[in-house]
Amino acid sequence: MSSVSHVKAPATAPEDGGGSAAPTPGRPPVSLNRRRVRAGWLFASPALLVVAAVTVFPVVFSLVLSFWEVRLEYGGLRLGSPTLGHYEALLTHSEWYRALAFTLGFTVVSVTVELVLGTLTALVLERLGAARGWILALLLLPWALINVIAAQLWSYLFNGTYGAVSWLCEQLLGTQPDILGQPVPAMAAMVVVDVWKTTPFVAIVVLAGLMLLPGDVYEAAEIDGANAWTTFWQVTLPQLRPIVAIAVLFRILQAFGIFDLPFVLTQGGPGTATQSVAILGYRVLFQNLDFGGGAAVAVTTAVMVLACCLLFLRVFRAHVDEEGRA
Amino acid sequence: MSLHRRTLLTGAVSAATAGLLSGCGGADVDDLLARAATVPDEPAELKWWVSEIPSRRGAVVADEIMRAFERRHPRISVSKINALSSSDGNRSALATQLAGGSPEPDVYLGDTTWPAQFGHSSLALPVETLLADGFWDAYPEALRSSSTYRGKVYAVPFFTDSAYLFYRKDLLAKHGLRVPRSWEELLHTSRKVQRAGDTESGFLWQAAVTESLTANLTEFLADADADVLDGRGRAVLGGAAAERAFALMAEFTDSGVTPRTVATYEESDAQDAFVTGRGLFLRNWSYAWVNASTPELSRVAGKVGAVPRPGFEGGGRSGISCAGGWSNFVNPGSRHLGAAMEFARFCAGEEVQRLLAREAGVVPAMTAVLDGPEARAAGDPTVLRAADLRLVARPVQTPYYPQVSKALYTPANEVVRGTLSPAAGVRAAREGLRTALEGKAL
């Protein structure tokens, strides 16, 4: 029933080295295995080199920068001595904690809202017939927009002088709201834009999961007398958990790195109310030209987001185990 | 497999470290200056990093400058790299490129707030020995000061931005009011015209959490005769004068003369509101004159005047303007240092400065050009009155200027929003400045 398997798959490739020299009946000799392994590495090496160049090198480069005194001199970057000073400065600065609190809060609120709205949208879409394609296409429009352009469009809407949202609020409330100029409305505006843009992604992922669910389970539930509400909670949702987990993981990764929205809408303001860790990293690295400090912000952020995702996966997996769906 | 992972990881770390170390050319600055001292005889192709220069009559000003240089130096060709429009965007792009040792651009246009930071980070060539004796006599003292860090000059003048008070001539005439001579009078005038329903906002300016607010705050502090740093570069912001400046910013929004949304305004936002007829007064840089006076861009074209900013009643100073603008920096990694330096000097010279007065919607840096025939023919009050301004420099002579600026604009923004009292704002700014100047701010 569950798509999460806990049965270890049999090894498909022989282990390299450490085995007995004596050939095992029915298996290729060890020397042949080694040749195959070497050939495998040889063929895979161009791809591995590309991956190393575009993925591993920048990550390691950031790590190195974050643990070294970095100076800019005529001719380029120069490394001084190893130091923990960048991390010490970061972890003792209240601004980093404020940026972290905003980023965490934004991530939790926006991902939760998007998950609820996305699941509801997917349930509606599943029941639609011919119109589903058109509605899906319409829903995908916000998701297809480039982030920075979407943010700029919303900044026009929220603009206190001529923005349509500000005008609408003024008509309804009688006073001109200062949406992006006050901390709570500015944070709420950011969540609104993110939900508008990303809910379609969650909806499509969940819809894909819904369409793969076996129909016989629903028939069994109907025979057992389960109503729609019970069916959703007891049948649909448990089966959707793996796909929901994937959607949540993607969203946590994206939301934690939020940069475009505060950069375009508020520049991290008012004050530092909407300064995310990504904005802070940008400022430290590109405005202050502090390469070591900026790298430390990047590394700490990456470590935290990875930890969050791993924790989420572990909790989720344990939850599945408890329900005996291994 | 664990052995392979370790090998891969070690390899990546080694490669990263080697990459870092290989980027360290360790070039000797004396060698660079020797190369920059002579204009080469052999052909050279220069790249100039330049953003769009506002134009009065549709000419592409940068192209005209490059062609003029090529006429003088037929063996050197210049092409441009179109830069971004924002100061921060340019800094990010240039810092990344130059820190990597790129030989291009050879010359780049940079903000007048950059020299200390770029000099400290070795992203600009020190050029004081490459400029003639008495070179700075032709330019404002504030520009020389902001271009210098620890006795070395890192920027060659090009054009300046000065702040003016733009006003609606038609609305003042309708109400029989004069152009305000003090901030108190501006508040009174604004309320009167607002009450009559002839304008939505009285005074538009910039209070977003960006460099724009630092420039505004620097001017208000100078109006009140308050110092930010002392002669030794220590934070001395405080006292009644500083509180007066912060209190004025709060009063603008408390009284409704300035909308609360000003806390999100940068230059373009305030200018947009003014040219669409939503404000009586506007504080903006000189380039706003061209935009406000061009009928295709402005609903209030022909109804706008510009004067130096007022001051406080009963003391203080008027006509204060933050020294802004853009100067040319020479990339120390350039392969054509001599030609690059010659181009930077050419842009600061009289021929280009007169060309700017004639064609560009900016204020030329050379003082003598401001009342020359080209400036008079253009009839731009922001150029003609530039010599009347009292230019004040922002506290830019520190490599930590971005942090210093942030220490000023963050509490100032809170004061404008009414979430911090003026006295608390001054205290927060002073503490922030101290931390920033020690290099401990993020």
PDB file of all heavy atoms in Angstrom, chain A residues 12 14 16 42 54 61 67 71 93 96 103 120 170 180-181 193 197-198 211-212 246 277 281 294-295 309 319:
ATOM      1  N   THR A  12      23.164  -4.843  -6.893  1.00  0.00           N
ATOM      2  CA  THR A  12      23.168  -5.087  -8.326  1.00  0.00           C
ATOM      3  C   THR A  12      24.564  -5.033  -8.902  1.00  0.00           C
ATOM      4  O   THR A  12      24.803  -5.429 -10.008  1.00  0.00           O
ATOM      5  CB  THR A  12      22.299  -4.042  -9.051  1.00  0.00           C
ATOM      6  OG1 THR A  12      22.737  -2.758  -8.617  1.00  0.00           O
ATOM      7  CG2 THR A  12      20.843  -4.237  -8.720  1.00  0.00           C
ATOM      8  N   PRO A  14      28.825  -5.747  -7.967  1.00  0.00           N
ATOM      9  CA  PRO A  14      29.724  -6.355  -6.988  1.00  0.00           C
ATOM     10  C   PRO A  14      30.539  -5.295  -6.263  1.00  0.00           C
ATOM     11  O   PRO A  14      30.843  -4.245  -6.822  1.00  0.00           O
ATOM     12  CB  PRO A  14      30.619  -7.228  -7.861  1.00  0.00           C
ATOM     13  CG  PRO A  14      30.549  -6.655  -9.225  1.00  0.00           C
ATOM     14  CD  PRO A  14      29.212  -6.026  -9.345  1.00  0.00           C
ATOM     15  N   ASP A  16      33.728  -3.567  -4.722  1.00  0.00           N
ATOM     16  CA  ASP A  16      35.085  -3.457  -5.246  1.00  0.00           C
ATOM     17  C   ASP A  16      36.093  -3.724  -4.146  1.00  0.00           C
ATOM     18  O   ASP A  16      36.170  -3.014  -3.168  1.00  0.00           O
ATOM     19  CB  ASP A  16      35.298  -2.032  -5.792  1.00  0.00           C
ATOM     20  CG  ASP A  16      36.681  -1.890  -6.357  1.00  0.00           C
ATOM     21  OD1 ASP A  16      37.261  -2.912  -6.769  1.00  0.00           O
ATOM     22  OD2 ASP A  16      37.175  -0.750  -6.374  1.00  0.00           O
ATOM     23  N   LEU A  42      35.656   4.928 -15.409  1.00  0.00           N
ATOM     24  CA  LEU A  42      36.196   5.627 -16.572  1.00  0.00           C
ATOM     25  C   LEU A  42      35.076   6.265 -17.396  1.00  0.00           C
ATOM     26  O   LEU A  42      35.141   7.439 -17.776  1.00  0.00           O
ATOM     27  CB  LEU A  42      36.988   4.636 -17.433  1.00  0.00           C
ATOM     28  CG  LEU A  42      37.858   5.253 -18.526  1.00  0.00           C
ATOM     29  CD1 LEU A  42      39.003   6.038 -17.892  1.00  0.00           C
ATOM     30  CD2 LEU A  42      38.407   4.167 -19.443  1.00  0.00           C
ATOM     31  N   VAL A  54      30.349  21.936 -11.320  1.00  0.00           N
ATOM     32  CA  VAL A  54      29.204  22.843 -11.129  1.00  0.00           C
ATOM     33  C   VAL A  54      28.549  22.709  -9.760  1.00  0.00           C
ATOM     34  O   VAL A  54      27.805  23.599  -9.361  1.00  0.00           O
ATOM     35  CB  VAL A  54      28.130  22.656 -12.227  1.00  0.00           C
ATOM     36  CG1 VAL A  54      28.712  22.939 -13.597  1.00  0.00           C
ATOM     37  CG2 VAL A  54      27.515  21.275 -12.186  1.00  0.00           C
ATOM     38  N   PHE A  61      34.245  25.362  -2.172  1.00  0.00           N
ATOM     39  CA  PHE A  61      34.826  26.705  -2.237  1.00  0.00           C
ATOM     40  C   PHE A  61      34.238  27.589  -1.139  1.00  0.00           C
ATOM     41  O   PHE A  61      34.965  28.291  -0.428  1.00  0.00           O
ATOM     42  CB  PHE A  61      34.524  27.283  -3.618  1.00  0.00           C
ATOM     43  CG  PHE A  61      35.280  28.533  -3.956  1.00  0.00           C
ATOM     44  CD1 PHE A  61      36.605  28.471  -4.349  1.00  0.00           C
ATOM     45  CD2 PHE A  61      34.673  29.765  -3.895  1.00  0.00           C
ATOM     46  CE1 PHE A  61      37.305  29.625  -4.683  1.00  0.00           C
ATOM     47  CE2 PHE A  61      35.368  30.918  -4.222  1.00  0.00           C
ATOM     48  CZ  PHE A  61      36.684  30.842  -4.618  1.00  0.00           C
ATOM     49  N   PHE A  67      35.953  29.334   6.396  1.00  0.00           N
ATOM     50  CA  PHE A  67      36.872  28.974   7.488  1.00  0.00           C
ATOM     51  C   PHE A  67      38.242  29.650   7.355  1.00  0.00           C
ATOM     52  O   PHE A  67      39.173  29.273   8.040  1.00  0.00           O
ATOM     53  CB  PHE A  67      37.060  27.453   7.542  1.00  0.00           C
ATOM     54  CG  PHE A  67      35.893  26.733   8.158  1.00  0.00           C
ATOM     55  CD1 PHE A  67      35.023  25.996   7.382  1.00  0.00           C
ATOM     56  CD2 PHE A  67      35.644  26.832   9.526  1.00  0.00           C
ATOM     57  CE1 PHE A  67      33.937  25.334   7.947  1.00  0.00           C
ATOM     58  CE2 PHE A  67      34.557  26.183  10.094  1.00  0.00           C
ATOM     59  CZ  PHE A  67      33.702  25.437   9.304  1.00  0.00           C
ATOM     60  N   ARG A  71      41.202  37.993   2.059  1.00  0.00           N
ATOM     61  CA  ARG A  71      41.470  39.392   1.731  1.00  0.00           C
ATOM     62  C   ARG A  71      41.467  39.552   0.216  1.00  0.00           C
ATOM     63  O   ARG A  71      41.845  38.647  -0.521  1.00  0.00           O
ATOM     64  CB  ARG A  71      42.850  39.809   2.256  1.00  0.00           C
ATOM     65  CG  ARG A  71      42.958  39.878   3.754  1.00  0.00           C
ATOM     66  CD  ARG A  71      44.227  40.612   4.165  1.00  0.00           C
ATOM     67  NE  ARG A  71      45.418  40.072   3.540  1.00  0.00           N
ATOM     68  CZ  ARG A  71      46.087  39.013   4.017  1.00  0.00           C
ATOM     69  NH1 ARG A  71      45.669  38.398   5.102  1.00  0.00           N
ATOM     70  NH2 ARG A  71      47.163  38.567   3.404  1.00  0.00           N
ATOM     71  N   HIS A  93      25.641  37.685  16.559  1.00  0.00           N
ATOM     72  CA  HIS A  93      25.001  38.915  16.072  1.00  0.00           C
ATOM     73  C   HIS A  93      23.486  38.762  16.046  1.00  0.00           C
ATOM     74  O   HIS A  93      22.965  37.837  15.429  1.00  0.00           O
ATOM     75  CB  HIS A  93      25.522  39.238  14.669  1.00  0.00           C
ATOM     76  CG  HIS A  93      25.554  40.698  14.396  1.00  0.00           C
ATOM     77  ND1 HIS A  93      24.414  41.458  14.278  1.00  0.00           N
ATOM     78  CD2 HIS A  93      26.580  41.560  14.249  1.00  0.00           C
ATOM     79  CE1 HIS A  93      24.745  42.715  14.050  1.00  0.00           C
ATOM     80  NE2 HIS A  93      26.050  42.816  14.036  1.00  0.00           N
ATOM     81  N   TRP A  96      21.518  38.288  12.663  1.00  0.00           N
ATOM     82  CA  TRP A  96      21.444  36.969  12.036  1.00  0.00           C
ATOM     83  C   TRP A  96      20.261  36.188  12.616  1.00  0.00           C
ATOM     84  O   TRP A  96      19.531  35.520  11.881  1.00  0.00           O
ATOM     85  CB  TRP A  96      22.755  36.205  12.267  1.00  0.00           C
ATOM     86  CG  TRP A  96      22.776  34.859  11.597  1.00  0.00           C
ATOM     87  CD1 TRP A  96      22.901  34.611  10.267  1.00  0.00           C
ATOM     88  CD2 TRP A  96      22.626  33.594  12.221  1.00  0.00           C
ATOM     89  NE1 TRP A  96      22.854  33.265  10.026  1.00  0.00           N
ATOM     90  CE2 TRP A  96      22.690  32.612  11.208  1.00  0.00           C
ATOM     91  CE3 TRP A  96      22.463  33.181  13.541  1.00  0.00           C
ATOM     92  CZ2 TRP A  96      22.589  31.250  11.477  1.00  0.00           C
ATOM     93  CZ3 TRP A  96      22.365  31.824  13.802  1.00  0.00           C
ATOM     94  CH2 TRP A  96      22.424  30.878  12.780  1.00  0.00           C
ATOM     95  N   THR A 103      12.983  34.079   8.329  1.00  0.00           N
ATOM     96  CA  THR A 103      13.026  33.028   7.303  1.00  0.00           C
ATOM     97  C   THR A 103      12.264  31.788   7.765  1.00  0.00           C
ATOM     98  O   THR A 103      11.495  31.198   6.988  1.00  0.00           O
ATOM     99  CB  THR A 103      14.495  32.660   6.976  1.00  0.00           C
ATOM    100  OG1 THR A 103      15.213  33.862   6.727  1.00  0.00           O
ATOM    101  CG2 THR A 103      14.582  31.764   5.771  1.00  0.00           C
ATOM    102  N   LEU A 120      -6.356  21.088  -1.434  1.00  0.00           N
ATOM    103  CA  LEU A 120      -7.766  21.354  -1.759  1.00  0.00           C
ATOM    104  C   LEU A 120      -7.941  21.552  -3.261  1.00  0.00           C
ATOM    105  O   LEU A 120      -8.880  21.012  -3.868  1.00  0.00           O
ATOM    106  CB  LEU A 120      -8.247  22.603  -1.008  1.00  0.00           C
ATOM    107  CG  LEU A 120      -8.427  22.445   0.504  1.00  0.00           C
ATOM    108  CD1 LEU A 120      -8.751  23.779   1.147  1.00  0.00           C
ATOM    109  CD2 LEU A 120      -9.530  21.433   0.810  1.00  0.00           C
ATOM    110  N   GLU A 170      -8.100  50.825   0.690  1.00  0.00           N
ATOM    111  CA  GLU A 170      -8.548  52.167   1.060  1.00  0.00           C
ATOM    112  C   GLU A 170     -10.064  52.297   0.893  1.00  0.00           C
ATOM    113  O   GLU A 170     -10.748  52.896   1.726  1.00  0.00           O
ATOM    114  CB  GLU A 170      -7.828  53.196   0.188  1.00  0.00           C
ATOM    115  CG  GLU A 170      -8.018  54.627   0.674  1.00  0.00           C
ATOM    116  CD  GLU A 170      -7.220  55.630  -0.153  1.00  0.00           C
ATOM    117  OE1 GLU A 170      -6.530  55.222  -1.094  1.00  0.00           O
ATOM    118  OE2 GLU A 170      -7.312  56.823   0.164  1.00  0.00           O
ATOM    119  N   LEU A 180       3.605  47.757   2.586  1.00  0.00           N
ATOM    120  CA  LEU A 180       5.010  47.340   2.622  1.00  0.00           C
ATOM    121  C   LEU A 180       5.843  48.168   3.597  1.00  0.00           C
ATOM    122  O   LEU A 180       7.023  47.896   3.793  1.00  0.00           O
ATOM    123  CB  LEU A 180       5.621  47.435   1.220  1.00  0.00           C
ATOM    124  CG  LEU A 180       4.963  46.548   0.162  1.00  0.00           C
ATOM    125  CD1 LEU A 180       5.606  46.765  -1.201  1.00  0.00           C
ATOM    126  CD2 LEU A 180       5.033  45.078   0.548  1.00  0.00           C
ATOM    127  N   GLY A 181       5.204  49.152   4.234  1.00  0.00           N
ATOM    128  CA  GLY A 181       5.949  50.028   5.135  1.00  0.00           C
ATOM    129  C   GLY A 181       5.850  49.643   6.598  1.00  0.00           C
ATOM    130  O   GLY A 181       6.477  50.269   7.442  1.00  0.00           O
ATOM    131  N   VAL A 193       2.077  36.657  -1.766  1.00  0.00           N
ATOM    132  CA  VAL A 193       2.691  36.515  -3.095  1.00  0.00           C
ATOM    133  C   VAL A 193       3.255  35.105  -3.276  1.00  0.00           C
ATOM    134  O   VAL A 193       3.081  34.480  -4.327  1.00  0.00           O
ATOM    135  CB  VAL A 193       3.803  37.572  -3.304  1.00  0.00           C
ATOM    136  CG1 VAL A 193       4.441  37.402  -4.678  1.00  0.00           C
ATOM    137  CG2 VAL A 193       3.243  38.968  -3.158  1.00  0.00           C
ATOM    138  N   LYS A 197       2.022  32.295  -5.960  1.00  0.00           N
ATOM    139  CA  LYS A 197       2.939  31.789  -6.983  1.00  0.00           C
ATOM    140  C   LYS A 197       3.151  30.280  -6.888  1.00  0.00           C
ATOM    141  O   LYS A 197       3.294  29.600  -7.903  1.00  0.00           O
ATOM    142  CB  LYS A 197       4.288  32.518  -6.834  1.00  0.00           C
ATOM    143  CG  LYS A 197       5.359  32.053  -7.774  1.00  0.00           C
ATOM    144  CD  LYS A 197       6.198  33.194  -8.275  1.00  0.00           C
ATOM    145  CE  LYS A 197       7.282  32.694  -9.221  1.00  0.00           C
ATOM    146  NZ  LYS A 197       6.811  31.854 -10.292  1.00  0.00           N
ATOM    147  N   THR A 198       3.143  29.739  -5.681  1.00  0.00           N
ATOM    148  CA  THR A 198       3.637  28.375  -5.503  1.00  0.00           C
ATOM    149  C   THR A 198       2.563  27.341  -5.230  1.00  0.00           C
ATOM    150  O   THR A 198       2.814  26.147  -5.382  1.00  0.00           O
ATOM    151  CB  THR A 198       4.684  28.361  -4.369  1.00  0.00           C
ATOM    152  OG1 THR A 198       5.503  29.509  -4.505  1.00  0.00           O
ATOM    153  CG2 THR A 198       5.565  27.158  -4.448  1.00  0.00           C
ATOM    154  N   MET A 211      -4.070  10.854  -8.720  1.00  0.00           N
ATOM    155  CA  MET A 211      -4.446  10.100  -9.912  1.00  0.00           C
ATOM    156  C   MET A 211      -3.829   8.706  -9.939  1.00  0.00           C
ATOM    157  O   MET A 211      -4.247   7.841 -10.706  1.00  0.00           O
ATOM    158  CB  MET A 211      -4.073  10.892 -11.169  1.00  0.00           C
ATOM    159  CG  MET A 211      -4.919  12.165 -11.259  1.00  0.00           C
ATOM    160  SD  MET A 211      -4.463  13.248 -12.581  1.00  0.00           S
ATOM    161  CE  MET A 211      -5.264  12.463 -13.945  1.00  0.00           C
ATOM    162  N   LEU A 212      -2.805   8.509  -9.103  1.00  0.00           N
ATOM    163  CA  LEU A 212      -2.165   7.197  -9.059  1.00  0.00           C
ATOM    164  C   LEU A 212      -2.766   6.275  -7.995  1.00  0.00           C
ATOM    165  O   LEU A 212      -2.403   5.109  -7.909  1.00  0.00           O
ATOM    166  CB  LEU A 212      -0.664   7.364  -8.788  1.00  0.00           C
ATOM    167  CG  LEU A 212       0.148   7.958  -9.945  1.00  0.00           C
ATOM    168  CD1 LEU A 212       1.583   8.225  -9.499  1.00  0.00           C
ATOM    169  CD2 LEU A 212       0.135   7.034 -11.148  1.00  0.00           C
ATOM    170  N   ILE A 246       7.284  14.863  -0.666  1.00  0.00           N
ATOM    171  CA  ILE A 246       8.148  15.407  -1.734  1.00  0.00           C
ATOM    172  C   ILE A 246       7.825  16.881  -1.961  1.00  0.00           C
ATOM    173  O   ILE A 246       8.723  17.734  -2.048  1.00  0.00           O
ATOM    174  CB  ILE A 246       7.948  14.600  -3.040  1.00  0.00           C
ATOM    175  CG1 ILE A 246       8.560  13.210  -2.858  1.00  0.00           C
ATOM    176  CG2 ILE A 246       8.571  15.316  -4.228  1.00  0.00           C
ATOM    177  CD1 ILE A 246       8.194  12.227  -3.938  1.00  0.00           C
ATOM    178  N   VAL A 277      17.651  35.272   5.506  1.00  0.00           N
ATOM    179  CA  VAL A 277      19.081  34.928   5.600  1.00  0.00           C
ATOM    180  C   VAL A 277      19.758  35.064   4.234  1.00  0.00           C
ATOM    181  O   VAL A 277      20.937  35.409   4.154  1.00  0.00           O
ATOM    182  CB  VAL A 277      19.315  33.512   6.187  1.00  0.00           C
ATOM    183  CG1 VAL A 277      19.142  33.497   7.677  1.00  0.00           C
ATOM    184  CG2 VAL A 277      18.465  32.477   5.533  1.00  0.00           C
ATOM    185  N   GLY A 281      22.920  37.312   3.564  1.00  0.00           N
ATOM    186  CA  GLY A 281      24.120  36.783   2.910  1.00  0.00           C
ATOM    187  C   GLY A 281      24.533  37.641   1.734  1.00  0.00           C
ATOM    188  O   GLY A 281      25.719  37.937   1.547  1.00  0.00           O
ATOM    189  N   GLY A 294      30.203  36.260   4.150  1.00  0.00           N
ATOM    190  CA  GLY A 294      29.114  35.861   3.251  1.00  0.00           C
ATOM    191  C   GLY A 294      29.072  34.353   3.067  1.00  0.00           C
ATOM    192  O   GLY A 294      27.993  33.738   3.051  1.00  0.00           O
ATOM    193  N   ALA A 295      30.261  33.747   2.941  1.00  0.00           N
ATOM    194  CA  ALA A 295      30.316  32.290   2.793  1.00  0.00           C
ATOM    195  C   ALA A 295      29.792  31.610   4.058  1.00  0.00           C
ATOM    196  O   ALA A 295      29.114  30.575   3.982  1.00  0.00           O
ATOM    197  CB  ALA A 295      31.750  31.852   2.506  1.00  0.00           C
ATOM    198  N   CYS A 309      15.314  19.316   6.448  1.00  0.00           N
ATOM    199  CA  CYS A 309      14.783  18.331   5.504  1.00  0.00           C
ATOM    200  C   CYS A 309      15.020  16.905   6.007  1.00  0.00           C
ATOM    201  O   CYS A 309      14.126  16.055   5.924  1.00  0.00           O
ATOM    202  CB  CYS A 309      15.430  18.517   4.132  1.00  0.00           C
ATOM    203  SG  CYS A 309      14.874  20.005   3.324  1.00  0.00           S
ATOM    204  N   HIS A 319       6.772   7.906  11.068  1.00  0.00           N
ATOM    205  CA  HIS A 319       5.314   7.934  11.098  1.00  0.00           C
ATOM    206  C   HIS A 319       4.736   6.827  10.223  1.00  0.00           C
ATOM    207  O   HIS A 319       3.806   6.123  10.592  1.00  0.00           O
ATOM    208  CB  HIS A 319       4.842   9.310  10.614  1.00  0.00           C
ATOM    209  CG  HIS A 319       3.408   9.570  10.921  1.00  0.00           C
ATOM    210  ND1 HIS A 319       2.988   9.908  12.188  1.00  0.00           N
ATOM    211  CD2 HIS A 319       2.308   9.537  10.144  1.00  0.00           C
ATOM    212  CE1 HIS A 319       1.679  10.066  12.164  1.00  0.00           C
ATOM    213  NE2 HIS A 319       1.246   9.846  10.943  1.00  0.00           N
TER     214      HIS A 319
END
